[in-house]
Amino acid sequence: MNFFKKISIVTSIAAASFVGYAYGQDFQWKEATSNGYTYKYVTNDPTAARYYKLKNGLTVILSPTNKDPRIQTYIATKAGSKTDPADHTGLAHYLEHMLFKGTDKFGSKDWAKEKPILDKIDTLYEKYNSTKDENKRKEIYKEIDRVSGEAAKFAIANEYDKMMAGMGADGTNAFTSFEQTVYTEDIPSNVVDKFLTVQSERFRQPVLRLFHTELEAVYEEKNRSLDDDGDKVYDMMFASLFPNNNYGKQTTIGTIEHLKNPSLKAIREYFNTYYVPNNMGIIMSGDFNPDEVIAKIDKAFSYMKPKSIPEYKIGQEKPITSPIVKEVVGPNPENVMLGFRFPGATTKDARLLNLVGNMLTNGQAGLIDLDLVKKQKLLAAYAFPYVLKDYSVLLLQGRPTEGQSLDEVRNLLLQEIDKLRKGEFSDDLIESIVNNEKKNIIQKDEKYSSRASILMDEFTSDIDHKVSLEYVDEISKLTKKDIMDFAAKYLQANNYVAIYKRKGEDKSIVKVDKPTITPVSVNREDQSPFLKKIDEMPENAIAPVWLNYDKDITKNKLGNIDVLSVKNTDNALFRLYYHFDSGKWNNKILPLAAEYLQYLGTKNKSSETISKEFYKLASSFNVSAGNEETYVTLEGLNENFDKTASLFEDLIKNCQADQAALDAYKTRLKKARANAKQNKGTIMAGLRSYAQYGAQNPFNNVLSDAELDALKAEDLIKVLHDLFNYKHKVLYYGPKSGNDLVASLKPIHTLPKDLKELTKTKTFVQVPTDKNKVLFAHYDMVQSEIFWVRNADQYSAAETPTVNLFNNYFGGGMGSIVFQTIRESKALAYSTYSYFASPSKKEDKNMVLAYVGTQADKFNESTTAMNELLTTLPKSEQLFETAKSGLKKSIASERITQDGIIFSYLRAQKLGNSTDVRKNVYEQAPKLSFTDINSFHDKEMKGKNYTYCIVASQEKVNEADMKKLGEVKKLSLTEIFGY
């Protein structure tokens, strides 16, 4: 139920709402009837989507595809934060959380006894909200806490999650944004009946039980957002762009004042107003018969009664006539975000906005890509459209390199906008974008999950599916003048908002204080009659499919290197990899050389020309050097395979040293390295590596500042020119057979007779966790983040079934022991988990990991709670059986396909396995008892030493409290980062 991050919404809607496919075909809405149900569809639609409108107004969109025996489902409501009452912001998001708590039929062990107590809690909250005297409010909340404890004795926490886990569901979650609240499940195709029975009951009469502990989780979510400078920039941007519209007046998570004064009555009214069939949609894509499924949905949801939806009045905005400049202060690195306002999602201009976004940033040949990124004028820069119903926005963001002011960043971004107005862009850029859109749509159609996501976003944004399908045809007819006119209309020199994110202390932050909450019962062993009914419903077993590495992978030779391939029989896309069993541990400058390559040209072609050629072919390349592996990845359309492979081969073998590019790269790299020290997530990654390997570890295995200064362009060029002279493999997924692939590559990927070995110059070995200790790094933040790390024993394939089942039971989801205890019962964290991690190669050790992200004033309670779980494994036979059932069903319906087959084989090889390890898990895990996983817990976790990695403010977390956990070592950023 994590808050759907704004950047994710941008990506989803921008990418999913404008779908073009089957270029040049005729798309028309048609109507058909089958199995007694009339539906609409679009001719030549690659998703084969059927659009039903049931008698009660419920929209159902079904897109069948049988590639995997699973179904992605979304139940979406066209309501979100913009329809929150002005005096109860955050309410839609509250409600989303509460719709996991059950009804009078499930989630309760005795509804008759529970209901009067819940009614009393309702009354207490209304009294609490109307009381202004703080002392009286504290007394009322104390009573709320007491009565909530009484009510919890009759509640069954996470019963919804248990039912879905027992079905083998993945991705149980929900998200709320401006105008959508969406509930998501990925289910095996044989549990449709169970799924629909649970969902129809879920939305029938939700009960707002366990409210005060869930409210505390929302408080934690709010505090996490206060520590996120990116969230604060987005909020300020939308508040500045939309002073009259709810996009800017109300945030999804709500104000602190409203969070502290929730109304169960208002939440219930919101549900009754907006969760009605004529305002909701069920979207499914996967392995099913639509004739059968629509009848089942109709039967399950026919009880819903339509209601008129209150008219939503769009807050109209006045034109921006001069730049609006605002500032946000926080600990993260500085940046600038610009925002331009556009019309809403259903308009042609919103579709053109998507094109303009691609013209600015497409990762290869956009104006910003070529002018600001490739020429290294900024540390990072990009543009992207944010398409919503009332209005849309074009956002541009830039990060300064060393010595640049934020004004300079803004000016550089605005110069690219000016080029759109003046038509200073390549004549074939639109044509190249069209080619890439065709490829992108083929990619999206490969997975049932992406199909469903596209259709869901179209539904909540009221976008016509036919119009989406026509997008490629539409943009292919545009001219340079059309773009210039469009830019002149909407992207003027003065009609934007600029948010300057500056580094500093944000003294305006007021956190949501921790209320006193007594842990509540979770009643793990109890089951409602409804859950038992669901468990007893019949389902046809899905037969698992195991990989046979000898049969599923074609093996050839290209000279003296191995070629592993899997044929693509679905479409015309290919992915080609050159895989090296060597990386940064072999050569510390290899990652730098890999990144430097993107700024280089050859004797005959500039770097800019090469990027344009790749993009025009609808192809791309990437060179990624990790610690012990390096991948060169090429992808694109099969018809352009030879051209793509030849273009890259020419680049890497003939790239020329460019000292100016290296100087700029060094300057940017130093700035990026400095910025990394201002990122709490990166700091935590450094602490975890320190805990695993000691003071000298893979994380800080980087060039010193002096080594970086001494680095020469010729050093990096030598690495690049020599790369293909070292041992490597060819991996391929595409339409070619293994023999055809070798025939194509032979004249392109020419190799020396004898390939060289790249020996390791550095090897890191995990250190024993021989005592309890604390690694602490200071960071100015509201929350505290704690990771438990323990290096365990060597990998053993025989333990894999136990490990998988244990993780499912202990800390692997919302129905797990860890989540139930720390979040649901004790309300100590928004995010918490724990698991036993297997290594990537057999020489390495297993690890025990645990995490709690909590308010700093809950530090002691949170660490105590997790340590109790690491010491004693709570027993729940019901939860154990659910974990066992869910694991088996999830494996049975999982299909490893495409290049995933090759990567599975390589992983197996590194672990010393010759077969698909899932088969052993599937066969052996059901035979395990609770005693087996309890013994495993005792062996691996109980009474063991841990390294506590803590990122928090030293003003908010007491050193004496940390010393209770172990010997405290405060690490400097230089010790963590190595520079």
Side-chain angles (χ1 to χ4, degrees):
M1 286 180 293
N2 54 317
F3 177 52
F4 199 55
K5 291 295 182 185
K6 294 178 177 68
I7 187 68
S8 299
I9 299 169
V10 171
T11 304
S12 172
I13 293 179
S17 294
F18 301 103
V19 180
Y21 188 77
Y23 175 61
Q25 294 203 32
D26 183 41
F27 300 108
Q28 297 295 331
W29 278 108
K30 298 287 185 179
E31 192 172 278
T33 300
S34 183
N35 196 32
Y37 289 88
T38 298
Y39 61 91
K40 292 182 178 181
Y41 67 97
V42 179
T43 55
N44 297 307
D45 177 8
T47 70
R50 294 184 180 187
Y51 288 73
Y52 298 87
K53 181 80 75 173
L54 299 182
K55 292 178 181 178
N56 59 5
L58 179 66
T59 296
V60 180
I61 305 172
L62 303 178
S63 172
T65 173
N66 61 3
K67 293 179 185 176
D68 300 86
R70 295 192 68 88
I71 303 169
Q72 176 64 55
T73 73
Y74 292 105
I75 299 181
T77 301
K78 293 181 179 181
S81 57
K82 80 175 189 183
T83 46
D84 280 341
D87 58 348
H88 285 292
T89 59
L91 193 148
H93 180 234
Y94 271 160
L95 176 57
E96 171 222 305
H97 279 244
M98 297 310 297
L99 273 160
F100 287 78
K101 302 300 181 183
T103 67
D104 55 341
K105 294 289 191 293
F106 74 88
S108 179
K109 54 192 287 190
D110 192 329
W111 173 241
K113 292 181 179 178
E114 184 188 23
K115 185 180 186 305
I117 307 176
L118 292 177
D119 289 342
K120 187 175 181 180
I121 293 171
D122 265 28
T123 303
L124 283 168
Y125 267 111
E126 294 307 314
K127 183 179 178 183
Y128 181 74
N129 292 340
S130 62
T131 301
K132 304 302 179 187
D133 183 271
E134 280 302 317
N135 290 326
K136 290 181 180 179
R137 281 171 60 85
K138 288 179 181 178
E139 287 301 312
I140 297 169
Y141 201 88
K142 188 175 180 181
E143 181 66 2
I144 289 173
D145 181 60
R146 186 191 70 78
V147 178
S148 295
E150 290 297 311
K153 294 176 182 178
F154 301 102
I156 306 173
N158 299 103
E159 192 161 40
Y160 173 84
D161 306 302
K162 293 175 189 175
M163 287 189 287
M164 297 312 302
M167 294 181 207
D170 292 330
T172 296
N173 217 318
F175 55 85
T176 305
S177 61
F178 290 115
E179 47 217 1
Q180 59 178 185
T181 306
V182 183
Y183 302 83
T184 173
E185 298 285 356
D186 184 328
I187 61 171
S189 59
N190 64 335
V191 297
V192 170
D193 291 339
K194 290 184 175 183
F195 167 78
L196 292 175
T197 302
V198 170
Q199 299 305 321
S200 63
E201 172 60 24
R202 178 192 200 182
F203 292 98
R204 181 183 59 81
Q205 188 179 327
V207 171
L208 308 182
R209 60 171 58 91
L210 299 173
F211 181 75
H212 84 313
T213 52
E214 192 62 37
L215 182 61
E216 177 63 6
V218 175
Y219 289 172
E220 288 285 352
E221 200 170 353
K222 179 66 175 180
N223 285 333
R224 288 166 75 92
S225 74
L226 296 175
D227 282 332
D228 191 321
D229 287 352
D231 273 2
K232 294 190 290 184
V233 168
Y234 271 98
D235 288 346
M236 180 65 78
M237 172 60 72
F238 276 79
S240 304
L241 279 169
F242 301 108
N244 300 315
N245 188 283
N246 282 353
Y247 291 160
K249 292 164 68 176
Q250 302 183 173
T251 64
T252 297
I253 205 163
T255 66
I256 289 178
E257 183 63 29
H258 294 161
L259 286 172
K260 290 164 64 176
N261 292 282
S263 168
L264 293 169
K265 180 181 176 183
I267 293 174
R268 209 169 279 112
E269 287 176 355
Y270 190 94
F271 174 84
N272 292 331
T273 300
Y274 292 105
Y275 281 68
V276 294
N278 45 308
N279 196 47
M280 297 177 69
I282 298 176
I283 299 93
M284 299 171 66
S285 180
D287 186 13
F288 57 79
N289 181 327
D291 287 340
E292 295 175 0
V293 168
I294 187 58
K296 292 177 178 181
I297 293 174
D298 189 14
K299 182 179 178 182
F301 287 89
S302 60
Y303 73 87
M304 282 187 160
K305 305 299 180 188
K307 292 182 184 177
S308 59
I309 309 298
E311 180 185 1
Y312 170 74
K313 295 183 179 179
I314 298 175
Q316 299 295 329
E317 300 295 348
K318 296 178 181 178
I320 297 172
T321 56
S322 61
I324 299 170
V325 182
K326 298 289 181 67
E327 289 191 358
V328 167
V329 178
N332 287 355
E334 295 191 337
N335 64 78
V336 175
M337 179 180 279
L338 305 181
F340 293 83
R341 198 191 300 142
F342 284 80
T346 61
T347 64
K348 178 180 179 180
D349 285 345
R351 297 192 295 278
L352 294 189
L353 169 60
N354 188 63
L355 172 64
V356 165
N358 269 322
M359 294 182 71
L360 290 167
T361 299
N362 54 54
Q364 291 176 273
L367 292 175
I368 289 176
D369 300 319
L370 297 176
D371 297 338
L372 302 185
V373 177
K374 186 164 283 292
K375 293 180 181 177
Q376 304 188 82
K377 293 180 180 179
L378 293 174
L379 184 62
Y382 44 86
F384 48 94
Y386 196 149
V387 180
L388 293 163
K389 286 171 72 171
D390 300 353
Y391 289 95
S392 301
V393 179
L394 177 65
L395 297 173
L396 298 89
Q397 195 161 28
R399 299 185 183 279
T401 190
E402 189 63 37
Q404 275 183 324
S405 69
L406 295 185
D407 282 337
E408 289 176 288
V409 176
R410 177 174 73 167
N411 291 337
L412 285 169
L413 291 171
L414 289 174
Q415 285 173 19
E416 302 309 308
I417 295 293
D418 189 50
K419 289 176 184 177
L420 286 175
R421 290 195 297 265
K422 294 177 178 177
E424 295 176 1
F425 52 86
S426 173
D427 290 337
D428 59 3
L429 180 56
I430 296 176
E431 178 187 348
S432 296
I433 290 173
V434 168
N435 290 337
N436 280 271
E437 282 293 328
K438 295 178 198 174
K439 181 192 74 174
N440 293 340
I441 302 315
I442 298 173
Q443 290 174 329
K444 291 169 192 171
D445 189 50
E446 285 187 314
K447 292 294 291 181
Y448 65 94
S449 54
S450 60
R451 280 187 176 199
S453 177
I454 289 167
L455 296 168
M456 178 274 294
D457 274 322
E458 287 179 353
F459 167 73
T460 57
S461 298
D462 289 334
I463 292 173
D464 187 328
H465 187 54
K466 171 181 175 290
V467 174
S468 293
L469 291 169
E470 293 171 333
Y471 174 64
V472 168
D473 284 337
E474 183 176 27
I475 64 171
S476 67
K477 298 170 184 174
L478 296 174
T479 65
K480 178 175 281 193
K481 185 177 185 304
D482 292 328
I483 301 302
M484 294 168 62
D485 292 345
F486 183 77
K489 181 177 180 181
Y490 291 110
L491 299 170
Q492 298 167 12
N494 56 2
N495 67 335
Y496 62 89
V497 171
I499 308 298
Y500 282 37
K501 162 61 194 64
R502 298 193 184 278
K503 185 170 169 56
E505 180 184 357
D506 187 352
K507 297 182 179 180
S508 68
I509 289 182
V510 179
K511 73 170 186 175
V512 186
D513 289 327
K514 179 192 79 166
T516 301
I517 292 181
T518 306
V520 299
S521 305
V522 291
N523 301 314
R524 292 191 184 99
E525 286 305 294
D526 289 297
Q527 288 183 318
S528 66
F530 183 83
L531 182 146
K532 294 175 183 176
K533 181 183 103 173
I534 295 297
D535 282 348
E536 291 168 1
M537 290 177 68
E539 58 183 66
N540 296 320
I542 294 175
V545 176
W546 312 124
L547 296 179
N548 183 324
Y549 297 131
D550 292 327
K551 293 182 179 179
D552 295 336
I553 299 173
T554 300
K555 298 174 182 177
N556 296 82
K557 284 282 188 178
L558 176 64
N560 53 2
I561 65 173
D562 293 329
V563 178
L564 308 178
S565 64
V566 172
K567 190 166 185 179
N568 177 2
T569 58
D570 293 330
N571 55 51
L573 300 180
F574 79 86
R575 289 186 286 275
L576 175 72
Y577 309 88
Y578 299 114
H579 172 245
F580 301 78
D581 281 318
S582 53
K584 189 166 68 167
W585 292 7
N586 304 80
N587 186 343
K588 208 154 55 168
I589 70 172
L590 182 55
L592 280 67
E595 191 167 350
Y596 181 51
L597 180 63
Q598 66 182 300
Y599 307 115
L600 302 179
T602 64
K603 181 179 180 180
N604 301 316
K605 294 178 182 178
S606 68
S607 177
E608 179 178 333
T609 298
I610 291 169
S611 289
K612 287 181 177 180
E613 287 191 17
F614 269 109
Y615 193 64
K616 194 169 185 177
L617 291 170
S619 301
S620 68
F621 78 87
N622 182 57
V623 183
S624 174
N627 287 328
E628 298 180 88
E629 289 182 292
T630 297
Y631 280 94
V632 174
T633 306
L634 306 177
E635 62 81 36
L637 297 169
N638 185 57
E639 63 191 77
N640 295 328
F641 177 87
D642 288 0
K643 291 180 180 178
T644 300
S646 297
L647 186 59
F648 180 78
E649 206 83 15
D650 179 47
L651 170 62
I652 198 163
K653 290 181 177 178
N654 299 303
C655 55
Q656 293 195 314
D658 186 329
Q659 189 60 44
L662 179 60
D663 291 342
Y665 175 58
K666 286 182 181 180
T667 301
R668 291 174 60 253
L669 183 58
K670 288 179 181 178
K671 180 65 173 177
R673 283 162 48 131
N675 286 355
K677 292 182 175 182
Q678 301 169 25
N679 184 293
K680 64 179 180 178
T682 311
I683 293 169
M684 177 60 84
L687 289 184
R688 289 176 60 183
S689 187
Y690 197 112
Q692 191 176 356
Y693 293 97
Q696 300 299 313
N697 56 71
F699 184 85
N700 59 31
N701 178 41
V702 296
L703 295 182
S704 67
D705 288 337
E707 288 174 319
L708 184 59
D709 287 336
L711 191 63
K712 297 177 181 178
E714 290 74 17
D715 299 332
L716 298 177
I717 289 295
K718 185 178 185 302
V719 170
L720 294 170
H721 285 175
D722 210 24
L723 185 62
F724 283 146
N725 293 325
Y726 288 93
K727 287 186 176 179
H728 59 280
K729 296 183 183 74
V730 172
L731 317 177
Y732 171 83
Y733 171 72
K736 294 179 183 292
S737 68
N739 290 333
D740 289 341
L741 172 64
V742 170
S744 292
L745 283 178
K746 193 171 183 179
I748 299 171
H749 192 59
T750 55
L751 300 166
K753 183 178 179 181
D754 296 313
L755 293 170
K756 297 186 287 187
E757 290 275 5
L758 190 58
T759 56
K760 288 186 178 178
T761 57
K762 190 80 175 178
T763 299
F764 296 94
V765 179
Q766 291 155 290
V767 297
T769 311
D770 52 7
K771 62 181 178 180
N772 287 324
K773 52 194 169 191
V774 174
L775 301 177
F776 177 80
H778 166 72
Y779 193 86
D780 181 19
M781 59 194 289
V782 174
Q783 287 226 316
S784 59
E785 300 205 359
I786 310 108
F787 254 105
W788 285 249
V789 176
R790 185 178 88 80
N791 290 325
D793 297 325
Q794 296 293 132
Y795 169 79
S796 168
E799 283 192 327
T800 304
T802 306
V803 170
N804 277 258
L805 181 57
F806 173 80
N807 285 340
N808 242 29
Y809 175 81
F810 184 59
M814 288 194 287
S816 68
I817 291 291
V818 169
F819 192 89
Q820 279 193 1
T821 303
I822 294 179
R823 173 164 159 168
E824 296 294 307
S825 173
K826 300 184 178 183
L828 293 174
Y830 173 72
S831 178
T832 182
Y833 53 86
S834 178
Y835 60 96
F836 188 85
S838 298
S840 60
K841 64 182 193 296
K842 62 184 178 182
E843 295 81 10
D844 290 344
K845 295 180 183 295
N846 297 304
M847 293 177 65
V848 176
L849 297 169
Y851 169 78
V852 175
T854 186
Q855 289 176 213
D857 55 6
K858 296 183 190 174
F859 176 83
N860 288 332
E861 296 167 87
S862 299
T863 52
T864 298
M866 183 64 82
N867 281 333
E868 287 173 351
L869 293 176
L870 293 172
T871 302
T872 303
L873 180 65
K875 182 177 181 179
S876 169
E877 286 293 346
Q878 300 295 343
L879 187 57
F880 178 69
E881 290 303 318
T882 297
K884 191 185 291 187
S885 170
L887 177 61
K888 185 173 182 180
K889 291 177 181 178
S890 182
I891 292 174
S893 58
E894 180 186 24
R895 297 293 180 265
I896 297 176
T897 60
Q898 302 182 357
D899 41 6
I901 297 171
I902 301 174
F903 294 122
S904 174
Y905 170 66
L906 295 179
R907 284 194 298 270
Q909 278 192 321
K910 288 181 182 177
L911 290 169
N913 299 326
S914 59
T915 59
D916 188 343
V917 72
R918 296 176 303 152
K919 185 174 188 291
N920 190 34
V921 176
Y922 183 83
E923 293 172 348
Q924 299 304 318
K927 300 175 184 178
L928 298 172
S929 65
F930 181 80
T931 300
D932 294 319
I933 67 164
N934 191 54
S935 297
F936 178 80
H937 175 274
D938 288 351
K939 177 171 76 81
E940 299 295 348
M941 296 184 175
K942 183 176 182 178
K944 301 297 182 181
N945 297 314
Y946 292 93
T947 300
Y948 298 81
C949 302
I950 300 171
V951 177
S953 168
Q954 58 193 13
E955 281 80 38
K956 294 184 172 68
V957 173
N958 193 309
E959 185 172 351
D961 291 331
M962 291 192 287
K963 286 181 177 178
K964 296 174 187 175
L965 302 174
E967 176 186 314
V968 176
K969 182 176 180 61
K970 293 185 176 181
L971 294 176
S972 70
L973 293 177
T974 301
E975 289 176 292
I976 295 171
F977 285 87
Y979 55 84

